[in-house]
Amino acid sequence: MLAIITGATKGIGRAVSIRLASEGIDIVAISSSKNNLEELKKFIEKTTKAKCYIHVCDLTNKNQRLHLISSLAVYEQKVSILVNNFGRYSVGTIEEISSTDLITNFEHNVVTAFELSQFIAPIFKEKKEGYIFNILSVLAEKTRQTAAAYTISKHAMNGLNKLLADELREFEVKVCGIYPCSVNTSSWDGIAVDRSKMIQPEDIATLISQSLKLSDQMFIERIDLNPLDKTT
């Protein structure tokens, strides 16, 4: 098996990469940082039996995304998992954001996942197997006035997740949307908050790992994650 993972060197992406590699699944790690990718590759191949193939790509850049997708064709025969993890958070109310802010959020939080899913869907359809995990947010269904563009983009990503699930189900491809509240990632750096009470990236990695072990006739359509402490 082989998993393609975006945003693979930090937070959720790193945790998922390491967890799946520990179970013998080869990793295609995508990130904008060559140094972070090389460190991840070294760690995975030193501590597990899995291979880690790295691709440097700024997923906010359309030309780089198109080049990346063409380079992923080499994995068509082996790929069985796609984890759409890449995304960016932004702040601003409806009155404060511009249409450019909104377009940028769509580029980061929807278009990247759309293009990779569009690439992988026909491959999985032909194989009649495969898994797509979309990392969303509670803001894919709720709203946050101070993160207007992000909220709108995540609602759109929720629509993409549902469309993929509906279209690919008959081809025995399993699509799972993951809806976490606050996750302990680098996005909280410099903010005074008790990160030990947050959802940990390893929690999400564990859930993805367990989802892969279910019978062929069963799949988890969505996973909602909330911290025990409601103030988190």
Side-chain angles (χ1 to χ4, degrees), residues 18-25 48 50 205-206 208-210 212-213:
I18 292 171
R19 177 59 183 261
L20 296 188
S22 73
E23 298 178 1
I25 298 172
T48 77
T206 296
I208 289 176
S209 170
Q210 293 301 315
L212 298 172
K213 296 178 174 64

Side-chain angles (χ1 to χ4, degrees), residues 7-194:
T9 61
K10 294 182 179 180
I12 296 169
R14 180 180 175 84
V16 174
S17 297
I18 292 171
R19 177 59 183 261
L20 296 188
S22 73
E23 298 178 1
I25 298 172
D26 291 336
I27 304 298
V28 175
I30 301 167
S31 170
S32 61
S33 171
K34 182 179 179 180
N35 288 340
N36 289 346
L37 281 168
E38 289 177 343
E39 186 278 327
L40 177 66
K41 176 181 174 67
K42 182 178 179 181
F43 179 83
I44 285 176
E45 295 188 347
K46 182 178 180 180
T47 61
T48 77
K49 296 181 179 180
K51 291 289 187 181
C52 182
Y53 307 98
I54 59 176
H55 290 261
V56 180
C57 179
D58 178 0
L59 291 171
T60 68
N61 183 293
K62 181 177 182 179
N63 289 332
Q64 289 194 35
R65 288 200 310 272
L66 293 176
H67 177 73
L68 168 71
I69 289 170
S70 66
S71 70
L72 295 178
V74 69
Y75 304 111
E76 284 186 16
Q77 296 300 316
K78 195 174 179 183
V79 64
S80 53
I81 303 162
L82 170 64
V83 182
N84 284 316
N85 170 62
F86 174 77
R88 295 278 176 82
Y89 184 77
S90 68
V91 297
T93 65
I94 285 287
E95 293 183 357
E96 293 168 342
I97 65 171
S98 65
S99 57
T100 300
D101 294 327
L102 186 59
I103 291 167
T104 298
N105 271 264
F106 265 76
E107 194 83 3
H108 295 175
N109 299 324
V110 186
V111 176
T112 295
F114 166 75
E115 290 176 348
L116 283 167
S117 299
Q118 193 176 49
F119 161 74
I120 212 75
I123 297 171
F124 286 175
K125 280 182 176 181
E126 185 175 350
K127 292 182 178 182
K128 288 194 175 298
E129 65 176 9
Y131 301 85
I132 298 176
F133 295 95
N134 293 312
I135 308 299
L136 292 110
S137 163
V138 291
L139 295 185
E141 294 182 326
K142 298 180 180 180
T143 60
R144 181 174 295 164
Q145 295 179 22
T146 56
Y150 179 82
T151 297
I152 295 168
S153 68
K154 283 298 184 180
H155 273 67
M157 183 61 201
N158 193 27
L160 173 61
N161 178 71
K162 291 179 178 179
L163 283 168
L164 286 169
D166 287 345
E167 179 177 337
L168 298 179
R169 189 169 190 154
E170 66 178 285
F171 296 94
E172 301 178 37
V173 178
K174 302 179 180 184
V175 179
C176 178
I178 300 177
Y179 301 77
C181 283
S182 300
V183 181
N184 180 15
T185 66
S186 59
S187 61
W188 292 96
D189 289 352
I191 300 174
V193 62
D194 186 353

